């Protein structure tokens, strides 16, 4: 064998070894993250997970979409992610007080965690500042809801004296309380009567729990013929509107304004005739999904911890402008 031949064989061998090494490196470098949501059947969360998946395809990382409807399911989702080699996850938890338990499990596996929409609460009842969060500015968006209701009341020429509010509350969830508090304050500022606000505490954040909470309130307050309805999200306002219909109120007697701007609102605005669901403050679930996943990805790949708290804003969407707002927010 000639000297040059030997050299080229050596080079070839080194080359092969090198490419095998790069492959192994690439496999090690592959980023995989989880995206766990509390309500996997709701349009808001479906869109968030899809947006994160799309970003992963663009940037070259994998997103595993999982359901976490209760504590047990969240913990098994984390175990599952660990066995798949994921380096972290984005989560909207089913109960914010699960924060410490979720962080314990994630730490055991060395996983990075960011929250989206609903922020973890620690044992002291305060937000867990150490876990990066991205969510709505609940109070401000709530104020937009209150302002939209007040403007529509004025347009319809309603006298606040004889208008009741159905406030569907969820005080277990801080962002929900911030949202309904913001709406209440804006309404009161517009001249709404405090004594005409009636609470319907819901057990959950969905349409059926809101419907169940709302029905008895209408039944008890038959003395009011005009109602405004608000809650933490449009799914819940829709539950209130459905209860008002069942009670016999017509769309011109009801002004419901939600929050989210997801498929639930699009379906309602697409109905042939208007309903008591007047509008919703739309927030980009596409942006929430992409940005939270991107923050986590950058943290994993560049070691840069995301900001402690990112607050997003909203735009009023009604039957008249919903298609345009949908486009603008990339929904
Ligand atoms: C909470 C609500 C969702 C959505 C999200 C941003 O998780 O339950 O409907 O409003 O905040």
């Amino acid at each position: 064998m000639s000297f040059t031949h030997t050299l080229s064989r050596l080079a070839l061998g080194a080359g092969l070894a090198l490419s095998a090494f790069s492959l192994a490196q690439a496999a090690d470098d592959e980023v995989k993250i989880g995206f766990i949501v509390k309500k996997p059947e709701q349009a808001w969360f479906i869109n968030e997970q899809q947006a994160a998946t799309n970003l992963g395809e663009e940037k070259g990382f994998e997103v595993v979409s999982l359901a976490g409807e209760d504590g047990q399911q969240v913990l098994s989702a984390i175990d599952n992610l660990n066995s798949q080699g994921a380096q972290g996850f984005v989560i909207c938890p089913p109960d914010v007080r699960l924060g410490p338990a979720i962080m314990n499990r994630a730490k055991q596996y060395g996983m990075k965690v960011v929250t989206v929409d609903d922020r973890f609460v620690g044992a002291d009842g305060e937000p867990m500042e150490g876990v990066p969060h991205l969510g709505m500015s609940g109070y401000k968006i709530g104020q937009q809801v209150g302002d939209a209701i007040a403007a529509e009341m004025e347009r319809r020429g309603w006298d606040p004296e004889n208008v009741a509010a159905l406030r569907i509350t969820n005080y277990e969830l801080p962002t929900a309380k911030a949202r309904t508090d913001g709406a209440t304050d804006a309404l009161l500022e517009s001249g709404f009567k405090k004594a005409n606000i009636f609470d319907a505490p819901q057990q959950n954040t969905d349409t059926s729990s809101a419907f169940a909470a709302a029905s008895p309130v209408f039944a008890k307050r038959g003395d009011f013929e005009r109602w405004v309805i608000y809650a933490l999200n449009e799914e819940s306002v829709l539950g209130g509107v459905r209860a008002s219909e069942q009670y016999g109120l017509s769309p011109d007697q009801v002004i419901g304004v939600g929050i989210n701007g997801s498929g639930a609102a699009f379906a309602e605005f697409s109905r042939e005739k208007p309903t008591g669901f007047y509008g919703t403050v739309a927030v980009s679930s596409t942006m929430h999904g992409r940005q939270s996943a991107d923050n986590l990805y950058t943290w994993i790949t560049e070691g840069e911890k995301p900001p402690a708290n990112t607050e997003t804003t909203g735009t009023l969407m009604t039957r008249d402008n919903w298609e345009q707002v949908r486009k603008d927010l990339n929904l």
Side-chain angles (χ1 to χ4, degrees), residues 38 44-45 92 117-118 136 179 205 232-233 260:
K38 66 176 182 180
W44 171 274
F45 295 107
C92 176
D117 304 332
D118 299 352
M136 297 185 181
R179 296 177 203 182
T205 52
L232 93 149
N233 61 16
N260 276 355

Side-chain angles (χ1 to χ4, degrees), residues 1 43 45 58-59 109 133 164 187 234 269 278:
M1 207 186 281
F45 295 107
E58 283 165 34
K59 289 202 162 180
Y109 295 139
H133 177 71
L187 273 180
E234 64 207 17
F269 294 139
Y278 167 71

Side-chain angles (χ1 to χ4, degrees), residues 44 135 149 192 198 214 294:
W44 171 274
I149 292 175
F192 203 93
F198 305 106
D294 202 29

Side-chain angles (χ1 to χ4, degrees), residues 38-39 42 44-45 48 92-93 116-118 134-136 173 175-176 179 204-206 232-236 259-260 283 288:
K38 66 176 182 180
K39 295 234 168 262
Q42 285 186 353
W44 171 274
F45 295 107
E48 253 178 6
C92 176
V116 70
D117 304 332
D118 299 352
L134 183 148
M136 297 185 181
L173 180 61
T175 182
R179 296 177 203 182
N204 214 306
T205 52
D206 56 15
L232 93 149
N233 61 16
E234 64 207 17
E235 288 81 359
S236 303
I259 293 173
N260 276 355
V283 177
H288 277 216

Side-chain angles (χ1 to χ4, degrees), residues 223-245:
D223 44 331
F224 284 94
E225 287 183 0
R226 290 173 168 167
W227 285 84
V228 306
I229 303 175
Y230 58 101
L232 93 149
N233 61 16
E234 64 207 17
E235 288 81 359
S236 303
V237 170
L238 281 168
V241 170
R242 295 289 94 91
S244 75
E245 291 162 352

